[in-house]
Amino acid sequence: MNSKYDIIIVGGGAAGFFTAINIVEKNPKLKVAILERGKSVLEKVRISGGGRCNVTHACFVPNELVQFYPRGEKELRGPFHQFCSGDTIEWFERHGVELKIEDDGRMFPTSDSSQTIIDCFLSATQKLKIDVLTSQSVQSIFKGSDYWKVETNHETFSCQKLVMTTGSNPKMWDVLAEIGHKIVPPVPSLFTFNIKDKRIANLMGVSAFANVKVKNSKLSASGPLLITHWGMSGPGILRLSAWGAIELFQKNYQFAIVVNWLNHVTFEEAEEQLKELKLEHSKKIVSKKSPFEFPNRLWENLVLAAEISEDTKWADLTKKQLINLTNQLVNAEFHVNGKSTFKEEFVTAGGIDLKEINFKTMESKIHQNLYFAGEIVNIDAITGGFNFQNAWTSGFIVAEAVTEKN
């Protein structure tokens, strides 16, 4: 059996649905199908943002927005000038979904439920008569003279234009490699650090705004650092993992980090502050109260690590103890032994080589009438709605490109 369509979209996730809906809204005459290998669609949307779906981020300037993408920063500048976060908000409002901005800039549906986004997409595909075909696992794709042939585990489809939106699916990367596309090997991008160290052993849930550097590397990031029962997490660590995805993979996730618990305060500045505290609080016990903006429990552990006993008074600090404590504050070294996946939102660096894509249309430079949207290409971002924004933007651009030529 051969089912004919104008356009077939492989992948029933966020990018696939957004692309399909935009295509048929622009040209209702087109016959469009979404092929999904699973039994259900939009599963990643369902679990994203803890089930609330972090739709986008309240960053409305394309040149600022691109800075959240460790891979894709240069390539996304043009696309974001075509369709940015503000356009996303407008698009969803037009489709009956209102979004809200949280304090950290992340944007969610006002319903706080990812089901709202799923329902929006499903009702739009029904209304626009887009065929959503599940349990269709693509086995191969073949380029004819002026058509594409797509073989699944059930049947054969043909179409004029083919859009791939299969995310980080290694099997689909293999299929595309077979027809000549170069795939950048996937490595994990967002992960937390496994660290066993007595300075943080009993501090699960403690958070501090810190700067973290990877020793013997240019990698560094600042942001809230959260101590967990397995090590360290929080936005600062996740940011470091995203920018360091390839380098840390090459180190086999065995490396040292240097934590500055005072963020950007230098050794000299910190030492000066401690000398002032020694004079001001001479009769007080050093370990009792944190003089900095992080919790007492962390301060106590750093004081002990600096070889200062629990009952030592500020006046009795030796020069060596003062230097030890300064080092624990601004140069605290920790050994990372492995990583843990961050929630269910597993993000990978890797995918179709960006040099093989025309970012004005998201069309393959190797095959005409083959397009890509979403995480199938070698683009990834830190958490905060940025990966979804890439899906919406690339989907919108594909829709513009395929409808213009029809």
Side-chain angles (χ1 to χ4, degrees):
M1 184 177 148
N2 189 343
S3 306
K4 280 190 170 173
Y5 286 91
D6 294 309
I7 298 165
I8 285 175
I9 291 157
V10 180
F17 269 79
F18 198 78
T19 308
I21 293 163
N22 278 284
I23 288 170
V24 184
E25 282 182 347
K26 285 178 170 59
N27 185 347
K29 292 193 186 110
L30 292 172
K31 195 180 175 201
V32 176
I34 297 172
L35 306 182
E36 164 57 41
R37 66 175 171 160
K39 288 191 176 77
S40 56
V41 291
L42 300 163
E43 276 310 309
K44 210 168 170 189
V45 172
R46 189 183 305 282
I47 60 172
S48 78
R52 295 197 298 144
C53 189
N54 184 185
V55 176
T56 187
H57 202 93
C59 175
F60 304 109
V61 182
N63 291 354
E64 287 174 20
L65 187 59
V66 293
Q67 288 167 23
F68 295 95
Y69 296 81
R71 280 146 293 275
E73 181 180 342
K74 187 170 96 258
E75 290 79 8
L76 285 172
R77 194 162 277 132
F80 283 158
H81 276 93
Q82 270 186 269
F83 193 91
C84 204
S85 330
D87 302 300
T88 299
I89 298 164
E90 202 184 323
W91 192 96
F92 278 102
E93 274 183 3
R94 214 170 56 239
H95 291 80
V97 178
E98 204 182 321
L99 303 178
K100 58 170 182 177
I101 304 175
E102 304 217 328
D103 292 345
D104 56 7
R106 291 182 305 158
M107 297 195 70
F108 295 89
T110 49
S111 64
D112 272 331
S113 168
S114 56
Q115 196 58 45
T116 308
I117 304 298
I118 294 168
D119 292 345
C120 163
F121 285 168
L122 292 176
S123 72
T125 48
Q126 278 176 324
K127 194 175 95 186
L128 298 165
K129 298 184 170 52
I130 294 164
D131 290 346
V132 179
L133 309 171
T134 53
S135 300
Q136 295 280 355
S137 174
V138 171
Q139 306 301 306
S140 67
I141 57 180
F142 168 78
K143 177 102 167 33
S145 52
D146 59 348
Y147 67 95
W148 283 94
K149 192 167 86 174
V150 180
E151 284 188 343
T152 74
N153 51 339
H154 290 306
E155 56 189 293
T156 303
F157 297 86
S158 64
C159 58
Q160 286 178 313
K161 293 180 169 65
L162 180 61
V163 187
M164 303 296 292
T165 61
T166 46
S168 304
N169 178 345
K171 191 183 158 194
M172 285 300 101
W173 282 331
D174 290 345
V175 165
L176 288 162
E178 279 168 28
I179 61 164
H181 265 288
K182 185 183 172 200
I183 309 299
V184 176
V187 299
S189 175
L190 289 177
F191 49 86
T192 60
F193 296 172
N194 295 352
I195 299 168
K196 275 197 166 34
D197 191 294
K198 63 181 182 201
R199 285 168 292 178
I200 59 169
N202 56 348
L203 299 184
M204 185 185 155
V206 165
S207 178
F209 199 99
N211 174 267
V212 185
K213 288 188 171 89
V214 174
K215 202 178 172 188
N216 303 324
S217 158
K218 288 180 180 160
L219 291 171
S220 88
S222 285
L225 183 158
L226 176 70
I227 297 170
T228 65
H229 58 83
W230 65 85
M232 291 182 187
S233 180
I237 295 290
L238 292 170
R239 199 168 291 153
L240 197 62
S241 77
W243 259 269
I246 293 160
E247 195 178 319
L248 301 180
F249 170 79
Q250 286 162 349
K251 290 179 187 289
N252 200 21
Y253 309 108
Q254 302 288 326
F255 55 94
I257 56 170
V258 178
V259 178
N260 182 341
W261 297 104
L262 306 181
N263 196 18
H264 290 304
V265 173
T266 65
F267 181 91
E268 290 73 24
E269 289 166 345
E271 190 180 23
E272 204 49 50
Q273 282 175 282
L274 291 179
K275 282 177 181 169
E276 283 170 24
L277 287 162
K278 187 176 159 137
L279 291 171
E280 281 172 39
H281 301 300
S282 55
K283 294 194 169 71
K284 291 181 179 168
I285 289 171
V286 180
S287 66
K288 273 283 180 280
K289 189 175 185 307
S290 167
F292 300 102
E293 284 183 15
F294 56 73
N296 288 334
R297 288 160 62 207
L298 174 59
W299 169 251
E300 275 170 40
N301 283 10
L302 296 178
V303 169
L304 290 174
E307 295 170 358
I308 299 164
S309 63
E310 278 178 15
D311 51 3
T312 304
K313 289 181 179 157
W314 279 100
D316 301 331
L317 282 183
T318 66
K319 194 176 176 186
K320 186 181 178 226
Q321 285 174 323
L322 204 70
I323 286 171
N324 284 354
L325 185 52
T326 310
N327 273 319
Q328 288 298 336
L329 285 167
V330 299
N331 293 322
E333 200 170 302
F334 293 88
H335 186 73
V336 176
N337 178 20
K339 62 170 178 53
S340 294
T341 305
F342 176 65
K343 296 189 180 170
E344 314 92 330
E345 295 162 53
F346 189 64
V347 174
T348 57
I352 293 156
D353 195 316
L354 303 182
K355 293 188 195 78
E356 299 182 346
I357 299 160
N358 174 356
F359 278 86
K360 287 190 171 70
T361 58
M362 298 307 293
E363 188 175 14
S364 160
K365 287 181 182 175
I366 291 171
H367 295 287
Q368 226 179 343
N369 295 330
L370 173 64
Y371 298 82
F372 306 108
E375 285 178 39
I376 187 168
V377 303
N378 184 25
I379 285 177
D380 61 285
I382 61 170
T383 55
F386 303 106
N387 283 304
F388 273 135
Q389 185 56 50
N390 168 44
W392 315 139
T393 296
S394 50
F396 177 84
I397 287 171
V398 170
E400 289 274 294
V402 299
T403 49
E404 263 173 32
K405 289 181 186 176
N406 269 290

